């Protein structure tokens, strides 16, 4: 990490902590106003270092792998499309995939913190979906927790020498599912049930979010695999440049 | 199996996963899961008052679906454009390779 980058990271940490308080943070899947202000601020503050890390990584990509900028825009677009698709599910309600697994697998999780918050801001400001006061919490679940799980699952699967496309599927699907598990916990902490406490409430929200999400996670996994298959055929130079494919591989 | 066949089968599978609940579950409007969560908060924490509201109040479902469509369109445009570029380049390089060979 260069000197400037270090400065930038520490500045963002400080600014984040200060601004996080005044701006009260925001999020995506949790509805506007449904998190107490303390929680909203705390989740926002937690996101800041990840966002700074993501900005540094993106600047690196822009400087060192110019070819891959289009690919970066495409993984952002993928999240944009997928998070706009509200798909009916087995519980009789609808939800949408997150689309963040693809970018996490190709570029690493920190990058998705930045791309994810853009999607969340768009939805919160223009679509009245999610909200600015819950932006921090939603960014944490969709743009940080989910992508980091995808990143980890993918790395683990590759270590275990599992087929690459199967690894991609598992990483994307589990990251998607985990996003909503985190959301359930966030709501559970904010709204403990009178009878069951925090865990009782987490179970309640898990029943709503996570259950609805299972089939959608499968869809997200499949779509991610399809896109990766296409990229493996047509965008080999870029995939090599970002290290997804081995440098020497055909 | 050819790659293209596999892709089509996978996409069909996605459609099936999305359509099956529509056909099997009756009497449901498939409202958003976040709406269901709103109700759940009402039951587990009945005294909670939301303290902020969305910046904009959309007039109705139509405008909302318009905006979601715009979001999808922007994303799909970038995604399709990117793939178009890569595919075009792939074929150009392939042709060039054949000519020199």
């Amino acid at each position: 990490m260069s000197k400037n980058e270090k400065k930038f990271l520490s500045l963002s940490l400080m600014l984040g902590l200060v601004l996080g308080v005044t701006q009260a943070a925001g999020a995506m899947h949790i509805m506007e106003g449904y998190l107490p202000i303390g929680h909203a601020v705390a989740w926002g503050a937690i996101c800041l270092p990840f966002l700074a890390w993501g900005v540094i990584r993106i600047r690196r990509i822009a400087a060192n792998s110019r070819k891959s900028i289009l690919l970066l825009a495409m993984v952002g677009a993928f999240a944009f499309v997928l998070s706009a698709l509200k798909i009916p599910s087995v519980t009789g309600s609808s939800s949408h995939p997150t689309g963040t697994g693809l970018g996490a697998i190709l570029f690493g999780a920190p990058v998705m913190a930045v791309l994810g918050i853009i999607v969340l801001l768009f939805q919160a400001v223009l679509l009245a979906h999610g909200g600015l006061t819950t932006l921090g919490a939603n960014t944490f679940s969709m743009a940080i927790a989910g992508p980091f799980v995808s990143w980890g699952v993918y790395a683990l699967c590759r270590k275990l020498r599992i087929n690459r496309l199967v690894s991609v599927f598992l990483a994307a699907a589990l990251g998607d599912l985990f996003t909503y598990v985190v959301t359930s916990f966030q709501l559970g902490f904010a709204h403990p049930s009178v009878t069951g406490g925090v865990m009782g409430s987490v179970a309640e929200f898990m029943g709503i979010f996570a259950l609805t999400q299972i089939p959608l996670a499968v869809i997200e996994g499949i779509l991610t695999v399809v896109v990766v298959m296409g990229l493996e055929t047509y965008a080999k130079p870029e995939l090599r440049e970002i290290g997804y494919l081995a440098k020497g591989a055909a | 199996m050819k790659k293209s066949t596999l892709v089509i089968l996978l996409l069909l599978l996605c459609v099936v996963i999305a359509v099956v609940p529509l056909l099997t579950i009756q009497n449901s409007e498939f409202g958003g899961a976040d709406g269901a969560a709103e109700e759940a908060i009402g039951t587990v924490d009945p005294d909670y008052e939301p303290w902020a509201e969305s910046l904009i109040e959309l007039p109705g479902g139509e405008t909302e679906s318009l905006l979601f469509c715009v979001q999808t369109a922007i994303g799909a445009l970038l995604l399709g454009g990117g793939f178009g570029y890569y595919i075009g380049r792939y074929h150009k390089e392939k042709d060039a390779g054949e000519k020199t060979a």
Side-chain angles (χ1 to χ4, degrees):
Chain A
M1 201 178 283
S2 77
K3 224 176 176 186
N4 270 339
E5 282 174 349
K6 256 186 209 149
K7 255 192 231 155
F8 171 69
L9 189 62
S10 41
L11 190 72
S12 79
L13 257 168
M14 283 187 327
L15 264 182
L17 287 172
V18 178
L19 289 179
V21 177
T22 48
Q23 287 186 348
M28 147 152 163
H29 299 96
I30 300 176
M31 305 68 64
E32 187 81 285
Y34 272 86
L35 277 187
I37 192 155
H39 289 248
V41 173
W43 288 117
I46 293 174
C47 291
L48 287 164
F50 290 98
L51 287 168
W53 188 4
V55 169
I56 290 174
R57 297 270 296 217
I58 289 177
R59 283 173 47 115
R60 278 270 171 82
I61 293 166
N64 303 337
S65 353
R66 300 205 61 85
K67 254 200 253 168
S68 309
I69 296 175
L70 175 62
L71 193 58
L72 186 67
M74 283 168 72
V75 302
F78 185 73
F80 227 58
V81 174
L82 256 63
S83 60
L85 297 178
K86 295 191 188 176
I87 300 170
S89 177
V90 282
T91 50
S93 53
S94 302
S95 184
H96 52 80
T98 61
T100 53
L102 176 68
I105 293 164
L106 295 182
F107 287 99
V111 163
M112 290 320 289
V114 178
L115 297 181
I117 201 173
I118 296 173
V119 177
L120 288 172
L121 266 175
F122 181 90
Q123 293 194 326
V125 174
L126 291 177
L127 272 56
H129 183 65
L132 291 175
T133 60
T134 47
L135 185 64
N138 289 335
T139 301
F140 184 77
S141 63
M142 187 188 105
I144 296 171
F148 270 90
V149 165
S150 296
W151 207 21
V153 168
Y154 182 74
L156 185 71
C157 285
R158 294 305 293 153
K159 233 181 213 142
L160 297 174
R161 303 192 163 276
I162 293 172
N163 172 288
R164 188 160 60 215
L165 290 177
V166 174
S167 311
V168 168
F169 172 81
L170 287 175
L174 291 177
D176 177 311
L177 203 58
F178 191 69
T179 293
Y180 287 87
V181 170
V182 170
T183 303
S184 304
F185 272 92
Q186 288 170 328
L187 282 172
F189 288 139
H191 304 283
S193 128
V194 186
T195 48
V198 169
M199 286 323 286
S201 196
V202 168
E204 175 96 2
F205 293 116
M206 205 86 102
I208 295 168
F209 281 118
L211 215 63
T212 307
Q213 205 62 24
I214 291 173
L216 301 198
V218 174
I219 292 181
E220 164 145 14
I222 293 175
L223 291 178
T224 307
V225 166
V226 169
V227 171
V228 168
M229 281 173 72
L231 290 175
E232 280 182 3
T233 308
Y234 297 113
K236 278 206 188 92
E238 282 75 15
L239 292 181
R240 260 183 231 125
E241 191 178 61
I242 59 173
Y244 171 80
L245 290 177
K247 288 254 179 329
Chain B
M1 191 166 13
K2 268 181 71 184
K3 238 186 199 174
S4 50
T5 330
L6 179 61
V7 167
I8 291 170
L9 282 178
L10 285 174
L11 292 179
L12 275 177
L13 183 61
C14 287
V15 174
V16 170
I17 294 172
V19 170
V20 164
L22 280 179
L23 298 178
T24 50
I25 302 174
Q26 307 291 332
N27 311 320
S28 174
E29 289 184 3
F30 290 98
D34 40 9
E38 232 172 287
E39 278 169 33
I41 292 172
T43 48
V44 296
D45 195 0
D47 297 330
Y48 186 77
E49 288 288 330
W51 54 280
E53 275 181 11
S54 298
L55 289 180
I56 50 161
E57 205 50 56
L58 293 177
E62 299 304 320
T63 322
E64 193 186 328
S65 64
L66 166 75
L67 287 167
F68 269 99
C69 274
V70 171
Q71 185 185 339
T72 321
I74 296 171
L77 191 76
L78 259 167
L79 212 53
F83 260 113
Y85 171 80
Y86 287 140
I87 292 172
R89 185 189 60 185
Y90 173 81
H91 285 294
K92 202 175 143 196
E93 279 167 8
K94 216 171 136 198
D95 286 352
E98 272 164 16
K99 263 175 209 156
T100 53

